[in-house]
Amino acid sequence: MSEAELNDFADLRPYFDRNSHTDVIFIREFKVSTLIGVHPHERHTPQTIRLDLDIGLSYGRRWASDDIGETVDYGVVVQRIRAVLKTTGFSLLETLAEHIADVVLDEFSVSWVRIRLAKLGILSDVSEVGLSIVRDRAQRAETIAREASGLSDV
């Protein structure tokens, strides 16, 4: 991996350190229109957002069979996210990112997902605003169990 590629994955280093055989499917510059925002005009006029996803595949997968069933079909991921954005509006990018993370972790056999979301051209002199989140299947399960038992992070 080049230095630039390593820097791009710096926030994911803990996932790579656990296992040297981590595979990542990526989806870049996926642009889609959706209703997102807290201001009244944003609730009625679709905006273009850009998504970049890095999807960590379960450790120990084998690709010898050359079978799409042994991996994540990125076309299906894109279709699923497009369907969510078509039927559900969000006020915050943070909530949308969490929802997409839930969909990817719940519906596809993956270890983790990084989502970068950006609203394009909504502020003058700013090309984009957004956020990046990383969600891990194991950590998510621990959080759900803790919340179910009435415990929370302090």
Side-chain angles (χ1 to χ4, degrees):
M1 225 180 240
S2 71
E3 189 64 33
E5 289 171 315
L6 286 174
N7 287 337
D8 188 44
F9 287 99
D11 59 332
L12 301 175
R13 192 160 285 133
Y15 302 100
F16 290 102
D17 290 345
R18 284 193 287 190
N19 186 317
S20 63
H21 300 289
T22 299
D23 295 322
V24 179
I25 290 177
F26 63 89
I27 298 168
R28 295 285 184 266
E29 297 193 30
F30 171 26
K31 293 179 183 173
V32 63
S33 290
T34 191
L35 291 174
I36 182 134
V38 295
H39 303 291
H41 69 276
E42 294 177 306
R43 303 306 303 153
H44 302 288
T45 304
Q47 298 178 62
T48 299
I49 61 170
R50 190 194 69 234
L51 294 93
D52 293 329
L53 287 88
D54 294 298
I55 302 169
L57 300 181
S58 299
Y59 304 127
R61 290 228 173 156
R62 304 280 184 219
W63 314 120
S65 72
D66 201 29
D67 180 358
I68 189 71
E70 289 189 19
T71 188
V72 174
D73 184 335
Y74 48 81
V76 175
V77 173
V78 167
Q79 287 174 345
R80 186 64 184 97
I81 292 170
R82 199 173 266 132
V84 165
L85 295 175
K86 189 175 187 176
T87 60
T88 310
F90 295 89
S91 296
L92 301 175
L93 282 175
E94 294 84 349
T95 308
L96 173 56
E98 287 289 344
H99 188 77
I100 292 171
D102 287 344
V103 167
V104 173
L105 290 170
D106 288 345
E107 298 181 18
F108 302 92
S109 180
V110 303
S111 299
W112 53 265
V113 61
R114 175 173 61 179
I115 299 165
R116 292 179 182 167
L117 268 172
K119 289 171 111 179
L120 307 176
I122 63 163
L123 299 174
S124 62
D125 300 327
V126 177
S127 65
E128 61 187 56
V129 296
L131 79 149
S132 177
I133 68 168
V134 179
R135 296 297 178 261
D136 176 284
R137 177 181 298 284
Q139 290 173 346
R140 184 169 167 264
E142 290 172 13
T143 300
I144 291 169
R146 193 170 42 251
E147 289 173 354
S149 69
L151 301 175
S152 64
D153 294 333
V154 178

